Amino acid sequence: MKKIIRITTVPISLKILLKGQPKFMSSYYEVLGISSGGQELLDVSTDEGIRVLPVEMTRTISPLKDLKSLYILYRILKKEKPFIVHTHTPKAGIIGMLASKLVGVPNRLHTVAGLPLMEATGNKRRLLDFVEKMTYKCATKVYPNSNELYHFILKNNYAKSDKLKVLGNGSSNGINTSFFDPNVVSETDRQKLKSTLNISDEDFVYVFVGRLVGDKGINELVKAFTQISEKNVKLLLVGPLESDLDKLETQVLKTIESNDKIISTGYQKDVRTYLSISDALVFPSYREGFPNVVLQAGAMGLPSIVTNINGCNEIIVKDINGTIISVKNMQMLYDAMMKFYLDKNYFLKLKSNARQMITSRYEQNVIWNAILSEYKNFEKNV
């Protein structure tokens, strides 16, 4: 059985963003997962039934640590002799593709799921541009997980079109619409959570799921929400604070703590019940690849307010299953939130389309089989 190595910078990407995919692929190949160490990497081994190896990688620019990671990964690849190395996330991409190139791995694949460099400027942007080009140069195939990313890569001359391919309608992993289904959450569980969070049946609940950082638009979201004077509205923030990388504004942090209409739950392993007690997803991110949370919310029957960025503007079709606003535009965000709340006919129309728009385009098995087909094609070319 041929060997495939999947590499991410941190294990949460293997555990959550690619959930189920390694197990599916292990029916056809020997699959080895590599990421930074810790309990989550061990969880991947248990959940997916694959072998894993730790290679510490940082998410920040750290030349000495990166060289050490490169050396360790080079030695692993030399020993394992994989048929395919498939990387995800920027740091794993450059280290994984460079090590694979040095070893001579025949099929070096990199999935692009969002580019942090989009928000960078000056010397940092130039450095990240160089790293991105180097990653794609070392890869034999690059998979942007949205059409917008595909065109961004071409526009910035990171790679030629013959090296790029978008699989299906986009997404790195698709979505299991049997798992993310509003019918799987019982009314008892919904009412129990609402009671715990002090949410009434009369409340209109906006929900955000993800890291609570500036790049996700949390500063604008909190400011826009505080302008809503209606009584029966709540904002549910489901996700961890990451103050080390992209800290929120001080006043915004104070507002989250003090405003009794804003409920911050921290990280939640299973977000389905939280989505099931919400009315609409608000996702004002500055940049994305192909955001899973917008797929998840839609599959749970929620219309979405998203920014006009990669992925979001492909999952959401304006005035069909949600609406699209400009990035960093607090006024547009406020207006969209108010329209959802005040215009019931408009809101119910979007809600009625939400789940079908996901199930018809992004079912998980379609994406998995598209990736498997790519792998099989490489076997034919041997």
Side-chain angles (χ1 to χ4, degrees):
M1 189 177 279
K2 291 185 181 295
K3 185 181 298 180
I4 290 176
I5 297 181
R6 304 293 292 267
I7 308 176
T8 64
T9 307
V10 292
I12 193 73
S13 299
L14 277 174
K15 182 180 178 180
I16 303 298
L17 298 183
L18 297 177
K19 183 178 176 62
Q21 196 178 132
K23 188 173 186 177
F24 172 80
M25 294 300 172
S26 65
S27 297
Y28 305 91
Y29 300 98
E30 179 187 348
V31 180
L32 171 61
I34 293 179
S35 191
S36 297
Q39 183 58 48
E40 286 175 336
L41 186 60
L42 298 177
D43 291 343
V44 169
S45 180
T46 301
D47 297 345
E48 305 289 344
I50 64 170
R51 188 162 58 98
V52 297
L53 287 173
V55 174
E56 296 306 317
M57 288 176 271
T58 66
R59 291 162 65 186
T60 56
I61 299 170
S62 311
L64 291 177
K65 290 181 179 179
D66 294 344
L67 282 172
K68 182 179 179 181
S69 302
L70 177 64
Y71 175 69
I72 293 171
L73 186 55
Y74 172 86
R75 292 187 62 184
I76 290 173
L77 297 183
K78 195 85 171 171
K79 178 183 177 182
E80 297 288 343
K81 297 180 174 57
F83 169 63
I84 291 172
V85 168
H86 191 165
T87 59
H88 300 256
T89 66
K91 182 59 71 70
I94 182 59
I95 293 174
M97 290 296 94
L98 188 53
S100 300
K101 175 84 170 176
L102 291 171
V103 170
V105 176
N107 300 290
R108 306 180 297 276
L109 318 180
H110 177 61
T111 291
V112 187
L115 292 169
L117 59 82
M118 286 179 173
E119 288 297 309
T121 57
N123 289 333
K124 183 178 180 181
R125 173 60 186 264
R126 284 186 281 274
L127 174 61
L128 293 176
D129 279 339
F130 171 78
V131 169
E132 206 67 20
K133 288 180 180 179
M134 181 63 69
T135 301
Y136 301 173
K137 187 176 180 65
C138 291
T140 56
K141 199 76 178 177
V142 177
Y143 300 100
N145 73 349
S146 74
N147 291 301
E148 291 268 337
L149 269 178
Y150 175 93
H151 293 299
F152 182 87
I153 290 167
L154 284 181
K155 182 180 177 181
N156 287 273
N157 297 313
Y158 296 152
K160 300 295 184 184
S161 60
D162 60 354
K163 189 175 273 193
L164 304 176
K165 185 175 184 179
V166 178
L167 298 174
N169 290 305
S171 174
S172 300
N173 202 37
I175 182 166
N176 183 344
T177 58
S178 297
F179 184 81
F180 285 96
D181 182 335
N183 294 318
V184 303
V185 182
S186 71
E187 184 61 23
T188 301
D189 287 342
R190 291 178 70 255
Q191 290 301 329
K192 183 178 179 181
L193 182 59
K194 287 173 83 168
S195 176
T196 301
L197 299 178
N198 195 28
I199 293 173
S200 74
D201 290 338
E202 290 73 37
D203 285 334
F204 189 96
V205 181
Y206 304 98
V207 63
F208 169 89
V209 180
R211 295 177 298 115
L212 305 186
V213 294
D215 271 7
K216 295 292 185 182
I218 300 300
N219 291 315
E220 290 83 0
L221 173 56
V222 170
K223 291 174 185 177
F225 178 78
T226 55
Q227 292 183 11
I228 299 175
S229 58
E230 277 70 12
K231 290 182 179 179
N232 295 325
V233 293
K234 295 283 174 64
L235 174 60
L236 188 55
L237 301 175
V238 183
L241 278 166
E242 287 197 1
S243 301
D244 55 331
L245 288 178
D246 186 13
K247 190 175 183 179
L248 296 176
E249 295 174 12
T250 302
Q251 189 55 50
V252 167
L253 286 168
K254 289 180 179 178
T255 301
I256 292 172
E257 292 175 5
S258 63
N259 191 321
D260 59 6
K261 290 186 175 183
I262 300 177
I263 305 160
S264 184
T265 69
Y267 170 77
Q268 299 297 324
K269 184 177 180 180
D270 189 347
V271 300
R272 290 176 298 173
T273 309
Y274 293 84
L275 291 171
S276 75
I277 65 169
S278 303
D279 294 285
L281 177 76
V282 189
F283 197 70
S285 182
Y286 297 173
R287 58 172 182 82
E288 292 292 330
F290 209 90
N292 282 336
V293 65
V294 183
L295 295 175
Q296 293 166 1
M300 293 295 290
L302 273 64
S304 296
I305 299 169
V306 300
T307 39
N308 190 19
I309 58 171
N310 298 325
C312 288
N313 56 13
E314 296 174 44
I315 301 168
I316 299 302
V317 179
K318 187 174 173 61
D319 298 331
I320 301 297
N321 61 337
T323 193
I324 301 172
I325 63 170
S326 299
V327 175
K328 303 179 185 179
N329 192 317
M330 192 180 75
Q331 186 60 48
M332 284 188 73
L333 179 55
Y334 168 80
D335 291 343
M337 292 171 77
M338 287 304 298
K339 186 173 178 64
F340 271 40
Y341 178 74
L342 296 174
D343 191 339
K344 298 301 181 187
N345 289 332
Y346 176 73
F347 171 75
L348 290 173
K349 172 195 163 188
L350 303 183
K351 183 176 177 63
S352 68
N353 294 326
R355 178 167 167 80
Q356 184 273 333
M357 289 287 284
I358 302 302
T359 58
S360 64
R361 296 183 293 160
Y362 301 112
E363 182 56 56
Q364 196 163 65
N365 280 332
V366 175
I367 300 296
W368 288 358
N369 280 295
I371 298 170
L372 177 61
S373 179
E374 290 291 295
Y375 291 173
K376 292 294 184 183
N377 283 337
F378 297 132
E379 289 189 59
K380 296 175 185 175
N381 297 330
V382 174

